[in-house]
Amino acid sequence: MCINIMRKEDKYELTLKEAEAVLENEENTISIMATLVALLKQNFDSIYWIGFYIVDNGVLKIGPYQGTIGCLTIEPSRGVCGRAYTKGLTQIVDDVHKDPQHIACDPKSNSEIVVPVFNYQDQIIAVLDIDSEIFGNFDEIDQLYLERLINSSFKTRH
Ligand code: SME
């Protein structure tokens, strides 16, 4: 079936299976991040920008991403990414222009989801930031599947 006409849930199920197959036995964090970014970007037309921000000495530093140039450093007190990091909880923003904490790296982004990444010791090591040009593009289905994808890709590994 053409991926463009698949339901969102089915695209995520496919992405989960692809990630499981491609990342089997992979331990390198950057390789895992780069692969997840590529898989999600190729499976979801609605994604404009996708990337990881990695926790580094108390700030978030840009990691593997696809899209236009992203901010290199995000302070924990700033951005939707900073909020996801400090709260340790997924953030969904339907209209980024109405969120005072949002950092506009690219004016084309209109909605956003940021998912925290935990390692096997339950320490937060990064956040996954996904932006869309479509307002209100992300909902609880995205949250559920992205958290599953992140957990199965990082939490089970040392
Ligand atoms: N919008 C994010 C910053 C990163 S860029 O969108 C690539 C934020 O508010 O944290």
Side-chain angles (χ1 to χ4, degrees):
M1 186 191 279
C2 171
I3 195 148
N4 289 331
I5 58 166
M6 284 169 69
R7 289 186 318 142
K8 182 153 75 172
E9 291 89 331
D10 295 331
K11 287 187 192 180
Y12 277 118
E13 292 290 350
L14 174 70
T15 308
L16 279 163
K17 285 200 185 79
E18 289 174 332
E20 197 185 347
V22 177
L23 295 176
E24 196 187 2
N25 303 323
E26 183 54 62
E27 300 285 340
N28 183 286
T29 302
I30 299 296
S31 302
I32 295 169
M33 289 178 173
T35 303
L36 291 178
V37 161
L39 278 177
L40 286 163
K41 185 79 167 70
Q42 79 186 13
N43 286 350
F44 290 85
D45 276 354
S46 54
I47 294 177
Y48 175 69
W49 192 96
I50 177 166
F52 284 90
Y53 278 93
I54 301 169
V55 179
D56 182 4
N57 286 318
V59 299
L60 297 169
K61 296 293 297 185
I62 192 76
Y65 71 102
Q66 290 193 13
T68 51
I69 297 289
C71 313
L72 268 69
T73 306
I74 298 179
E75 297 290 333
S77 58
R78 299 201 56 229
V80 183
C81 290
R83 196 159 71 221
Y85 169 55
T86 51
K87 288 183 189 264
L89 293 170
T90 295
Q91 304 293 309
I92 295 174
V93 181
D94 289 339
D95 180 351
V96 296
H97 311 289
K98 290 185 180 156
D99 187 325
Q101 209 175 330
H102 172 257
I103 303 167
C105 293
D106 187 312
K108 281 194 170 179
S109 290
N110 287 320
S111 67
E112 176 164 10
I113 186 167
V114 184
V115 183
V117 179
F118 297 93
N119 64 10
Y120 71 103
Q121 292 173 311
D122 246 351
Q123 295 159 330
I124 186 162
I125 56 163
V127 298
L128 171 62
D129 178 2
I130 309 180
D131 297 351
S132 178
E133 289 180 275
I134 303 163
F135 287 97
N137 185 59
F138 305 102
D139 59 19
E140 62 283 357
I141 295 170
D142 299 276
Q143 176 173 358
L144 182 86
Y145 277 103
L146 288 168
E147 288 177 355
R148 264 177 68 186
L149 184 64
I150 293 292
N151 280 339
S152 59
S153 302
F154 294 97
K155 257 198 165 174
T156 53
R157 291 176 169 84
H158 285 237

